[in-house]
Amino acid sequence: MNERSLALPFDPTGIVLDRRQGLSRQLYQALRLRVLDGRLGSGTRLPATRDLATALAISRNSVVRAYDQLYAEGYIESRVGDGTYISQLPKLSTKLSTGLSLGLSTGLSTKSADHTDDSSSKVIHSEVLDRLQNNHLSAYVPGPPRAFQVGLPAFDLFPFEVWAKLQAGFWRNPDPASLGYGDPAGDPLLRELIATYLRRSRGLSCTAEQIVITSGAQQAISLCAQLLLAPGDGVAVENPGYRAAGKAFAMAGAQVHGVGVDEDGLQCAALDALANCRLCYVTPAHQYPTGVTLSLARRLALLAWAERNDSWVIEDDYDGEYRYSGAPLAPLAALDRSGRVLYVGTFGKIAFPALRLGYLVLPVRLVQAFARLRALAVRHSEVGTQAVMAQFMAKGHFQRHIRRMRRAALSRRNALIAGWPLGVAGVGCMPQVAAGLHLKLDVHSRVREQALIARAQAVGVEINALSDYWLPDTATAEDARAGLVLGFAAVNEAAIADALARLARAWAD
C-alpha cells in the first residue's frame, strides 16, 4: 500500500470514503475538490484506474465512473497512449476556491438559506436589493392552525374529497392543448366563471377579458406596484393596514404614506395633502386590521380624488364573502365610472392560502400590460389548479362551500365573543363584528399589549399586536397604536373554548 501510494501524484490516504454511500460519487467529489483548491494542478498526471482502485481498496468500476464524470465536466483529459491528466484550467482566486471547497466539503452552499448575514448587499449592486433590506416579509413558521391566528379560514371544512376527484379527473385524460404554454392572463373558463360570480354576488359589472389570474392576492398587488408606479411616486396606504402591500409598493421605489383610519374607514380628505400621490391601496369592505367598513361618502370621495388626480385605487377584497347580515357589500369597483379601480380577489380565504390562486379585475385598457408583465415573470399559472377550480365553480361546489364557510365563521365568531374573558385590565370592550374573519380590541397601552400577548403565547395561544400593523414612521402616539387582533375562523368551537380557558388563566391577575 505504501509503495503504491508513493507512486501516485498525491496521497490517496487523505480521501476518506463512506462505504454506506455511493463510492464513485464520493471519489468524484474528492478529486474535483482537489482540482478546484489547487492541490491537483493543471497538467498533473492521474494514476491509472486500476492503481487508484487498489490504493483505495475499492472496485475499479467505481474509479472508472468517477473519472468518466470528471472527464464529462472538463476537469480531466485523456491523452492517447499517455494516460489521464488534469486539464489546463485557469487558477481560481484564493477566496473563491476557499468558498468552493467549503461548499463541496459540506455538500451545501457556503451560506445557509436562513443565514442572517446580509453580505449579499456587498456583492450585488442593485437599488432593488437595497430596498429589499427594509421591505421583505417576515419568515412564516409552518404548523397546524391554532387559536387565534389571523388570515386563516376553516381548513377543516374544505371538501378535499370533491377536490381530489376533480383533480384526478383532469389529470386522468388531460386535453393535450392544455399541457403546453397557456394564456398568461389565465384559464379562459376560470376567468369567465369568476366574472359571472362577481356579477351575481357583488354587482360588479365585468367580463372575462378584464380578469387576470394571479398567484394569490400578494402577486396581484406586486403587479400593480410594478406597472403603475415609478420610483419616487407617492402611494397612500391605510395606517394601520396590510403591511405587505406597503412593502410591495416600497419595493417599486414608491414613497409610502400612511393615511389614518377611523370608524368610517380611510380618512380620504388627507389624500389631497399628499404630493404626487399616484395610487391608493384600500380594504373597503372590511378594513385590515381594524374591521371597519368604508362609508359610502368616503367611497365616493375616494373615487373623485382618483379621477381628479389621474390616480389609481387598488381595492383589496380579501375576505368580502364573509358578511354576517345580508349579502356581501358591493365593491368600490362597482361604483367606478372612470376606470380608476383595480379589484383584487383571492380564493385563499374561501379555500386555503396554499392554493395560491387569486385574480385582478382590471380596467380594459390595462389588461394587456398586466398579462404581458406576468408572462415575463411566470409565463402563465399552473394549469391543473385553474382547471380544477373552474370545475369546482361550474358544478356548484364553490357556492355551497361559501355558504358552509360563512355559517362556520359566524358560529366561531359567536363562540369567541361569548367566551371572551371579561374584566381584563386595560382591554376594551368586544366590538360588533359584522364581517370578516378577525376582530380588533383596543388596549390602553403598548406595554400592556405586549404583556398580554406574551402571556397568551406562553400558553399556546396566538394573538397579533395591533401595533405591528402601523408604519414605522407613524406620528401617532405609541399607546394609541396598541390593541389585540384575533382571527376566529381557523379552529372549531371546541378549540376556541379551550384557548379561551387558557387565556383566562394566563390573564387572571
Side-chain angles (χ1 to χ4, degrees):
M1 174 76 71
N2 290 336
E3 290 180 359
R4 176 68 65 185
S5 298
L6 291 173
L8 302 179
F10 62 92
D11 183 4
T13 58
I15 298 177
V16 179
L17 304 178
D18 185 346
R19 306 275 167 178
R20 297 169 297 179
Q21 301 182 39
L23 296 174
S24 61
R25 184 68 181 177
Q26 292 180 72
L27 179 59
Y28 149 78
Q29 290 176 332
L31 294 174
R32 178 173 176 248
L33 176 57
R34 283 163 169 75
V35 174
L36 291 173
D37 66 17
R39 283 179 285 171
L40 287 176
S42 298
T44 300
R45 189 177 188 218
L46 292 179
T49 56
R50 194 181 305 276
D51 292 341
L52 187 55
T54 301
L56 296 175
I58 62 176
S59 72
R60 184 186 175 212
N61 285 340
S62 294
V63 180
V64 169
R65 285 194 292 270
Y67 276 23
D68 285 347
Q69 187 65 30
L70 291 166
Y71 177 78
E73 294 183 10
Y75 290 98
I76 64 175
E77 58 189 18
S78 178
R79 300 177 186 175
V80 178
D82 193 26
T84 302
Y85 291 81
I86 303 298
S87 300
Q88 295 295 323
L89 301 172
K91 189 174 182 180
L92 294 176
S93 69
T94 302
K95 182 176 180 180
L96 181 57
S97 63
T98 300
L100 286 168
S101 298
L102 177 59
L104 289 167
S105 63
T106 60
L108 301 169
S109 65
T110 57
K111 292 285 185 184
S112 62
D114 60 351
H115 203 287
T116 57
D117 180 31
D118 257 344
S119 59
S120 58
S121 62
K122 300 176 183 176
V123 295
I124 302 176
H125 303 289
S126 164
E127 289 185 11
V128 174
L129 181 66
D130 291 341
R131 292 196 289 267
L132 185 60
Q133 307 305 321
N134 297 319
N135 294 294
H136 58 84
L137 299 182
S138 300
Y140 177 75
V141 180
R146 62 175 183 165
F148 294 98
Q149 283 181 279
V150 175
L152 297 185
F155 298 164
D156 53 311
L157 297 182
F158 188 77
F160 289 104
E161 290 185 3
V162 171
W163 186 268
K165 288 178 181 178
L166 294 174
Q167 190 169 55
F170 172 79
W171 288 114
R172 190 177 297 117
N173 188 28
D175 180 358
S178 68
L179 300 180
Y181 293 101
D183 188 337
D187 179 78
L189 177 58
L190 178 59
R191 293 160 66 199
E192 183 63 57
L193 289 165
I194 291 172
T196 301
Y197 165 70
L198 292 175
R199 288 195 297 268
R200 291 175 178 172
S201 69
R202 296 290 202 281
L204 178 54
S205 179
C206 62
T207 65
E209 289 71 30
Q210 290 177 258
I211 293 173
V212 172
I213 303 298
T214 63
S215 296
Q218 189 63 34
Q219 187 188 50
I221 295 167
S222 293
L223 288 172
C224 293
Q226 293 175 65
L227 268 176
L228 303 180
L229 298 171
D233 282 348
V235 174
V237 299
E238 298 163 322
N239 196 28
Y242 180 49
R243 292 286 306 281
K247 291 181 178 183
F249 302 135
M251 278 299 301
Q255 297 295 317
V256 178
H257 305 287
V259 177
V261 174
D262 59 23
E263 64 275 8
D264 288 323
L266 183 79
Q267 296 172 341
C268 300
L271 295 174
D272 287 323
L274 301 179
N276 192 34
C277 190
R278 301 289 301 142
L279 186 152
C280 178
Y281 169 85
V282 66
T283 53
H286 184 238
Q287 200 276 330
Y288 190 87
T290 66
V292 300
T293 298
L294 188 66
S295 68
L296 177 59
R298 296 270 179 94
R299 291 172 185 240
L300 296 175
L302 179 57
L303 292 173
W305 167 84
E307 185 172 6
R308 187 168 64 249
N309 291 278
D310 194 24
S311 298
W312 304 102
V313 175
I314 298 177
E315 177 181 15
D316 189 348
D317 193 19
Y318 64 100
D319 65 358
E321 286 81 7
Y322 295 94
R323 190 83 188 169
Y324 305 123
S325 58
L329 298 180
L332 182 67
L335 297 172
D336 181 25
R337 295 293 179 267
S338 59
R340 312 308 305 179
V341 178
L342 296 83
Y343 178 91
V344 176
T346 178
F347 291 99
K349 298 297 186 289
I350 285 295
F352 44 89
L355 196 65
R356 303 316 304 145
L357 195 60
Y359 54 90
L360 275 162
V361 182
L362 300 164
V364 174
R365 54 185 165 151
L366 297 182
V367 174
Q368 185 180 64
F370 273 79
R372 286 175 173 176
L373 179 61
R374 191 160 190 275
L376 288 174
V378 296
R379 189 57 179 87
H380 61 89
S381 295
E382 187 272 324
V383 64
T385 302
Q386 294 183 88
V388 173
M389 180 55 78
Q391 290 302 307
F392 191 72
M393 298 180 77
K395 294 179 183 296
H397 301 299
F398 183 65
Q399 287 285 17
R400 284 192 292 274
H401 183 57
I402 287 176
R403 291 193 291 270
R404 185 188 307 118
M405 293 288 277
R406 191 180 293 134
R407 287 194 300 268
L410 175 59
S411 177
R412 295 176 183 193
R413 179 207 72 172
N414 291 343
L416 171 59
I417 293 174
W420 183 252
L422 301 177
V424 179
V427 178
C429 297
M430 182 66 67
Q432 295 292 321
V433 183
L437 298 174
H438 71 268
L439 57 83
K440 183 268 295 183
L441 291 122
D442 294 324
V443 177
H444 72 70
S445 72
R446 189 165 186 273
V447 171
R448 183 60 172 158
E449 171 202 73
Q450 295 298 303
L452 291 168
I453 289 173
R455 292 189 182 189
Q457 186 176 16
V459 296
V461 177
E462 179 173 321
I463 297 178
N464 286 7
L466 179 64
S467 59
D468 290 341
Y469 293 86
W470 293 77
L471 294 175
D473 58 353
T474 299
T476 303
E478 187 175 83
D479 287 345
R481 291 179 250 159
L484 306 177
V485 183
L486 297 90
F488 50 77
V491 297
N492 62 27
E493 291 84 349
I496 288 173
D498 175 70
L500 289 172
R502 281 181 276 141
L503 269 187
R505 291 192 297 270
W507 292 350
D509 61 349

